[in-house]
Amino acid sequence: MAEAAEVADALRLAKVEATPDGRVLCGWNAAGLKKTGGLCDYLLRSGFWRVIKKLGCIKADLRIDISVYELAVAKVEALLLSLTAGRLLRPRPAGDEPADHAPALPPMATGVAVYYAGAEGTAARQHEAEGASFELGPATCWEQLSRDLLRELASARGHPGAVQCGPGARGAGGPEEVDVGGAGAGCRGDGCVAWLVATDSSGAHVDLLSQRASPLPGPERWPLSVRAVPVRGEAAPPGEAPIEVPAGPGAAGGAAALGRAPPGARWRAWAELLGLRHCSFPKGDEYDRLSQEQNQWTELIRTDVARTFAWLSEADKQVLRRVLNACAAHCPDVGYCQGMNLVAGALLYASASVPETPEEEILGALTALLQRLGLRGFYSEGLPLLRCYLEAGDQLLRELAPALREHLRDEGVDVRMYLQQWLMALFVDCVPLQVAAGLWDAILLEGLPFALRAAVGLLRSLEGAAALPRDLGRPEVDEGRGRRPRRVEDRGRSGRAGRPGADPGAPPREPLLGGRGAVRASGARSLRGVSLRSPPLSSHGEAPPRERVHIHPTGADASLAAVQPPRALRRRARTSDARGGGSPRCSRQRRPAA
Amino acid sequence: MASEKEKDQYDYLFKFIIIGDAGAGKSCLLHQFIENRYKKGSSHTIGVEFGSKIIHVGGRNIKLQIWDTAGQERYRSVTRSYYRGAAGALIVYDITNRDSYNHLVNWLQDARTLARADTSIITVGNKCDMKDKRAVTFLEASRCAQENDILFLETSALTGEGVEDVFIKVARVILNKIEDGLIDPNTMVSGTHTGSQRIGSDSGGEAMSSKTCSC
């Protein structure tokens, strides 16, 4: 069982960092969501693993690294769009939006997340470099906003000018430099920044959205704290030694403790991302009426609430029941569908971090999830969108993890079984709630298709495991690292080559999300020098000598991403040819502080 | 590997489905059968869940592959695809909930049309430990079962009463049908399989189930 800190490390979701030269880099670090042993243990207890374990195809102590960013955004969305002809992804009907809300949001499902800002290469440029077909509109927006916010932060902390953004900016350094760490965020279509938390050099934490410049409790009082490698240090000329990475997330000892979201930040973030301010939902007396009034769903809601989250208090269950009842009445086309109770439960859980959140707000968030995010398509009669997603998921797996899919089918298991559970509950009750909350961050930020990406990513991470079990004499060899070789030719065609570092001759795989891929490309390379990677498995598809297996360095990459996205981003920004990203140009030696 | 195989040896593989109204106790029933204990704090099922267990009936090892489906009406569009090829079906109702009993006929019709015409069906009156809240009498349900030519038992997933009997009873009926030549165990659509075979949930190409019996 891994340390809580390790799990926490794996869960670090967002990050804002200042580089020594004063530039500020913000990273939405969901790519850093990776699994270490600890997390895997949790997963093994979740339904999905229970079933797979029963099938005997996974050893109990198998360690699995997971990166949810396995799939290119464009690919998933294109597939979903092709399956739905663009209709179902539209989260709300025209005219649903209050007239005074302008500009109209693009459908969230096709919205764009921007993962960093303030770096020398703008997000737009990064995307262009990758040839990905993203909407670029919001990028500028977020960049501008985050700069402004960071400036504001610096000034609020009495360090005006210490945060400098933009090309060529070099900070004053020294004691004045603001070391911005903590959690960042993105925007949705209209550029709303969700949340931004920073740590300044004095170690105080600032939530820029709501409690500007008021210090929040230190990380020790936050639910989970994570450690990160400090970003200070002398910048070496570019193009030099690879980055030195501490072995494993837990080993970044002595580093500055960065926290995850401080209490309440997540709920506020979700409220922003869902556009709660602009939503109309029943309040006051109307809410009271709807929440109490008997409707055709009341009985089922009562039954389900009683068996939702064993740890919910009786009072909380009453809240949940009222919210669901009101929601069923307020959105009669959806009513109540099992799974909504879990989603609403997760909202309740998140809202608990903000004292005295009105119940109406939870209802509002739930309504927004249904109407704006598009969840109604999962729940309404016939489950139309869900079926598209299941189909899409199956197709994706057929292409991306054929061995796993075949294996499960051999065992009589349809992958859609899992996808359905994960999607309908938006991962609540399928993975630990903390993980689910992290996935939600990304889903709310990016739109519903992220859920599919995450689900397929999770499943796909099993592919290596599928090659291991007893009666499967897979002909393919594991390339010495426990994974079936990718079908490089296929992936190449779809714009994604094999793993970076797997074949020096092949182009590095297309970075999935702008800088994220760059992180990985350099990560795999620089990791060669350190023993982060597990020992290679025996070849010829045999089971490894020991049952404990690290499946491929995806996780190692991800851990690297978690540790240092800004570095790679910067490198990427400097690299004119993104495809040359395999060679580490990272400069400065990165050492864990003593 | 060898030991694993031995452990896994069975003569037949039967696919079962568990259906019935939401909250009737389907998942708990399955859990009780597989783990021999009551599942506390269990949530509702989304879509389908899955469990398997090898039982010994009539001198044969039979592996039951059990698909536990979500009860809410709305899920039917997706759960129906899991009915196909089921050799046995458990229709579960809650003896304290009259509605769940009233819906038996719908479930029965689903099972007959979607699984297979000669699927062996049992209706299960669950929660028989809550006798003081009983809303459906044993006699009534038993008559109904007779009229519809299906089996009937009452169980308590909480105490475990009758749970194993349900599965064994259905398995025995299927086994009898096989031995009487009414079901060819080598046909995929029957939802049974001879040993070492696996049931693919929807791969039509597996009708060529082989005759390799592992014992």
Side-chain angles (χ1 to χ4, degrees):
Chain A
M1 193 64 192
E3 294 291 303
E6 249 182 288
V7 178
D9 242 347
L11 295 179
R12 181 175 38 213
L13 291 161
K15 198 172 164 92
V16 181
E17 271 192 71
T19 59
D21 57 2
R23 280 176 298 127
V24 177
L25 301 158
C26 310
W28 183 263
N29 202 10
L33 184 78
K34 80 177 192 66
K35 304 292 172 274
T36 55
L39 217 47
C40 185
D41 282 344
Y42 283 121
L43 282 172
L44 282 169
R45 285 201 289 272
S46 71
F48 167 65
W49 296 88
R50 198 174 61 237
V51 175
I52 293 209
K53 262 179 78 182
K54 286 227 171 86
L55 290 167
C57 64
I58 291 191
K59 307 284 188 252
D61 63 345
L62 187 73
R63 296 290 184 266
I64 294 178
D65 294 328
I66 292 174
S67 166
V68 295
Y69 274 84
E70 283 286 291
L71 298 164
V73 189
K75 189 170 179 58
V76 175
E77 294 191 348
L79 181 56
L80 283 173
L81 281 166
S82 74
L83 285 167
T84 57
R87 286 189 306 273
L88 289 164
L89 284 179
R90 206 163 280 284
R92 59 201 154 73
D96 199 32
E97 203 63 29
D100 59 344
H101 180 239
L105 290 174
M108 287 188 69
T110 54
V112 177
V114 179
Y115 295 87
Y116 44 87
E120 191 176 307
T122 65
R125 235 182 276 154
Q126 297 270 349
H127 286 313
E128 278 161 10
E130 303 312 322
S133 53
F134 295 114
E135 279 281 335
L136 294 176
T140 343
C141 215
W142 161 232
E143 190 168 276
Q144 191 55 47
L145 275 167
S146 61
R147 280 187 204 179
D148 291 349
L149 282 169
L150 288 165
R151 285 218 179 85
E152 203 174 318
L153 160 76
S155 135
R157 303 302 305 170
H159 302 296
V163 177
Q164 295 177 42
C165 309
R170 292 193 70 84
E176 293 248 303
E177 183 184 324
V178 177
D179 176 10
V180 186
C187 62
R188 41 161 222 257
D190 61 353
C192 269
V193 170
W195 49 306
L196 186 69
V197 181
T199 314
D200 72 5
S201 51
S202 67
H205 303 280
V206 183
D207 179 340
L208 289 166
L209 273 188
S210 62
Q211 302 180 47
R212 295 181 181 187
S214 354
L216 292 164
E220 71 284 350
R221 290 183 49 201
W222 297 357
L224 280 171
S225 72
V226 293
R227 284 163 292 172
V229 180
V231 294
R232 288 159 193 281
E234 281 301 309
E240 287 189 353
I243 305 161
E244 188 184 331
V245 185
L258 297 181
R260 296 181 66 244
R266 173 164 277 144
W267 177 250
R268 285 194 298 273
W270 288 1
E272 280 302 319
L273 287 167
L274 288 167
L276 220 52
R277 277 181 297 174
H278 310 296
C279 287
S280 61
F281 49 89
K283 294 177 187 127
D285 290 346
E286 198 195 351
Y287 171 80
D288 288 343
R289 185 176 62 79
L290 292 179
S291 64
Q292 299 301 339
E293 219 168 63
Q294 188 92 8
N295 59 48
Q296 60 166 318
W297 308 107
T298 305
E299 204 44 52
L300 185 57
I301 289 171
R302 201 183 298 275
T303 309
D304 282 348
V305 164
R307 48 181 177 165
T308 305
F309 297 139
W311 43 264
L312 272 186
S313 70
E314 212 34 62
D316 284 343
K317 286 191 173 173
Q318 288 312 312
V319 176
L320 194 57
R321 186 188 59 72
R322 286 195 294 268
V323 167
L324 286 168
N325 201 62
C327 183
H330 180 58
C331 312
D333 59 325
V334 180
Y336 169 75
C337 178
Q338 292 182 330
M340 284 168 67
N341 56 331
L342 297 171
V343 168
L347 289 173
L348 183 63
Y349 168 79
S351 72
S353 58
V354 177
E356 304 192 9
T357 310
E359 283 176 41
E360 287 97 322
E361 219 170 276
I362 302 173
L363 170 66
L366 184 59
T367 315
L369 280 172
L370 295 174
Q371 313 286 7
R372 301 183 74 152
L373 187 70
L375 267 188
R376 79 195 312 167
F378 280 2
Y379 297 133
S380 54
E381 194 61 50
L383 321 174
L385 185 61
L386 181 83
R387 290 158 75 170
C388 287
Y389 269 57
L390 296 183
E391 194 46 49
D394 197 48
Q395 281 191 29
L396 284 167
L397 281 168
R398 188 177 312 186
E399 184 179 335
L400 298 168
L404 173 74
R405 187 169 171 278
E406 266 168 50
H407 174 74
L408 291 176
R409 285 173 69 96
D410 285 350
E411 299 287 344
V413 176
D414 186 345
V415 212
R416 278 170 279 209
M417 268 173 73
Y418 306 118
L419 290 179
Q420 185 181 355
Q421 294 188 0
W422 291 354
L423 293 173
M424 290 204 82
L426 274 192
F427 299 97
V428 178
D429 225 22
C430 307
V431 295
L433 205 50
Q434 287 285 357
V435 182
L439 289 168
W440 276 42
D441 291 347
I443 292 168
L444 296 189
L445 194 62
E446 285 200 35
L448 206 46
F450 180 88
L452 184 63
R453 267 195 293 151
V456 174
L458 283 166
L459 278 170
R460 197 181 168 201
S461 69
L462 290 170
E463 197 186 10
L468 295 177
R470 44 187 187 153
D471 48 357
L472 282 184
R474 294 278 172 213
E476 284 102 331
V477 182
D478 61 27
E479 282 188 326
R481 64 167 81 105
R483 231 179 214 271
R484 293 185 66 224
R486 303 278 166 190
R487 302 199 169 166
V488 175
E489 67 282 7
D490 290 344
R491 298 161 62 81
R493 229 179 289 129
S494 59
R496 308 185 52 209
R499 302 227 162 240
D503 175 5
R509 52 205 295 238
E510 177 183 317
L512 304 175
L513 295 160
R516 245 3 101 191
V519 169
R520 243 184 232 172
S522 69
R525 210 42 95 87
S526 57
L527 283 170
R528 283 197 170 150
V530 289
S531 61
L532 228 167
R533 185 175 293 169
S534 9
L537 307 178
S538 62
S539 54
H540 303 293
E542 288 168 19
R546 294 170 61 218
E547 287 176 355
R548 181 169 294 202
V549 177
H550 248 309
I551 296 171
H552 178 92
T554 308
D557 294 352
S559 82
L560 193 72
V563 172
Q564 50 174 351
R567 165 133 309 275
L569 288 180
R570 195 160 60 124
R571 181 191 58 71
R572 166 149 226 91
R574 284 181 184 155
T575 311
S576 52
D577 176 14
R579 303 286 165 190
S583 72
R585 300 196 184 186
C586 314
S587 42
R588 181 163 50 92
Q589 289 270 326
R590 188 181 283 258
R591 295 182 195 285
Chain B
M1 285 253 180
S3 66
E4 237 175 84
K5 259 193 180 147
E6 266 166 38
K7 207 177 74 189
D8 238 17
Q9 266 185 4
Y10 50 87
D11 305 309
Y12 295 109
L13 173 62
F14 295 168
K15 174 178 174 177
F16 278 23
I17 49 167
I18 307 183
I19 52 181
D21 270 18
K26 298 179 290 297
S27 300
C28 290
L29 194 74
L30 176 63
H31 194 265
Q32 174 67 255
F33 173 61
I34 302 228
E35 308 279 345
N36 294 317
R37 57 192 159 87
Y38 178 65
K39 188 179 184 185
K40 259 191 188 163
S42 86
S43 187
H44 55 77
T45 307
I46 294 181
V48 288
E49 296 238 9
F50 174 93
S52 70
K53 186 172 181 174
I54 295 181
I55 55 171
H56 197 73
V57 178
R60 301 280 192 170
N61 280 328
I62 294 171
K63 181 167 182 173
L64 301 183
Q65 194 184 50
I66 307 153
W67 300 78
D68 170 27
T69 61
Q72 195 186 357
E73 171 80 26
R74 196 168 290 181
Y75 278 88
R76 283 206 210 180
S77 59
V78 284
T79 52
R80 282 169 160 208
S81 58
Y82 294 96
Y83 285 34
R84 195 149 67 120
L90 279 62
I91 305 178
V92 184
Y93 69 91
D94 172 359
I95 63 156
T96 68
N97 178 346
R98 186 84 204 169
D99 279 346
S100 71
Y101 173 76
N102 292 339
H103 296 150
L104 268 186
V105 276
N106 305 344
W107 291 110
L108 185 60
Q109 193 185 356
D110 263 14
R112 289 212 161 120
T113 52
L114 295 167
R116 180 185 158 84
D118 65 353
T119 299
S120 303
I121 299 169
I122 186 166
T123 178
V124 180
N126 193 29
K127 309 194 187 178
C128 72
D129 51 286
M130 295 164 76
K131 291 200 164 62
D132 50 332
K133 290 187 183 167
R134 181 186 280 278
V136 184
T137 65
F138 183 93
L139 196 64
E140 180 184 9
S142 173
R143 273 198 196 125
C144 171
Q146 266 182 359
E147 281 164 20
N148 288 290
D149 194 23
I150 54 179
L151 304 165
F152 169 67
L153 270 184
E154 280 193 354
T155 61
S156 163
L158 180 68
T159 64
E161 184 186 339
V163 173
E164 196 158 15
D165 299 344
V166 169
F167 291 87
I168 290 177
K169 200 166 181 174
V170 180
R172 183 167 288 139
V173 170
I174 299 170
L175 195 61
N176 289 342
K177 285 184 185 169
I178 290 174
E179 282 164 2
D180 295 348
L182 297 172
I183 296 179
D184 176 3
N186 290 322
T187 55
M188 174 64 200
V189 278
S190 71
T192 64
H193 259 247
T194 48
S196 334
Q197 285 301 298
R198 305 276 193 277
I199 293 181
S201 55
D202 62 346
S203 51
E206 286 181 33
M208 46 80 183
S209 88
S210 74
K211 280 131 180 103
T212 52
C213 187
S214 62
C215 52

